[in-house]
Amino acid sequence: MAELIQYANGVPGIKWPLDKTVVRIGRSENLNDIAVDDAYASKSHAQIEVVFNQDTSELEYYVRDLESTNHTFHNQSPIQHVKLSHNDTVMVGKSKFVVLIEGVREYVSAEQATVITAEKTKNAEESLAEVVEEITREFKHAEDEDDLDSTIFASESGRHKFSRRLNIY
């Protein structure tokens, strides 16, 4: 099984197994599988995705930035979504992780691939349900037309609040 090695002060520390289809990394202990004590990390900063490649029957690993404030870096370059290779470096805020894949060749049966696909679908459905619930709460609490406009339309950053929240993969 592939792993993430978390570094502290330049020294390898905690090993995190990549044993789920999605492993979230960020500052919040409640929202993430890996919580980092790092002021430069967003609450939900990035996620590692484990994807079954049907052509090769192998697992592939990707890192996705979750629209974090300070970006996610892959081998010192800011990214949105990129495939990971053995010994790649992922930076979440100032927290460094190294990806270990080599020597861990993982072949997956069709049955296991079905489980992985079902889990990913379930995670997407749960995420969508949470977003819909949050939006519904905001609509119910809007007291006047200005409140409703600020709930629906662009925030100070210029992003539309709904489109940002509905960015489900």
Side-chain angles (χ1 to χ4, degrees):
M1 171 184 340
E3 300 174 319
L4 280 181
I5 306 299
Q6 184 175 5
Y7 279 66
N9 300 318
V11 178
I14 302 171
K15 283 185 181 182
W16 298 98
L18 297 176
D19 57 356
K20 298 169 44 176
T21 57
V22 175
V23 176
R24 290 183 174 250
I25 307 169
R27 216 176 52 243
S28 171
E29 290 182 21
N30 297 334
L31 301 174
N32 300 291
D33 302 294
I34 301 173
V36 293
D37 185 16
D38 184 338
Y40 292 93
S42 296
K43 288 180 188 175
S44 290
H45 196 103
Q47 66 186 26
I48 306 296
E49 300 168 351
V50 182
V51 178
F52 174 71
N53 182 325
Q54 292 181 339
D55 295 332
T56 63
S57 296
E58 293 182 9
L59 296 177
E60 294 178 346
Y61 300 87
Y62 295 84
V63 61
R64 181 182 302 276
D65 182 76
L66 298 176
E67 296 186 16
S68 62
T69 303
N70 293 318
H71 309 289
T72 301
F73 289 79
H74 169 260
N75 296 337
Q76 302 180 345
S77 297
I79 57 96
Q80 287 299 313
H81 186 247
V82 69
K83 185 176 178 181
L84 295 168
S85 298
H86 183 67
N87 272 338
D88 280 356
T89 300
V90 174
M91 294 292 291
V92 172
K94 301 255 182 196
S95 300
K96 176 182 174 181
F97 296 87
V98 173
V99 181
L100 298 182
I101 299 172
E102 197 169 278
V104 188
R105 291 221 124 182
E106 296 170 276
Y107 293 89
V108 181
S109 68
E111 187 176 293
Q112 290 169 314
T114 302
V115 170
I116 289 169
T117 304
E119 184 178 331
K120 191 165 189 164
T121 301
K122 180 182 174 203
N123 290 341
E125 289 170 353
E126 289 171 356
S127 295
L128 180 59
E130 290 171 12
V131 169
V132 169
E133 185 178 311
E134 180 183 344
I135 291 168
T136 303
R137 273 196 311 271
E138 287 188 27
F139 271 116
K140 286 181 181 177
H141 294 300
E143 294 182 15
D144 58 26
E145 193 173 315
D146 289 338
D147 277 353
L148 194 55
D149 284 349
S150 69
T151 299
I152 297 172
F153 298 109
S155 64
E156 289 178 20
S157 70
R159 294 184 189 158
H160 283 71
K161 292 181 178 181
F162 283 151
S163 63
R164 184 176 66 236
R165 285 191 227 146
L166 290 174
N167 195 7
I168 296 174
Y169 307 99

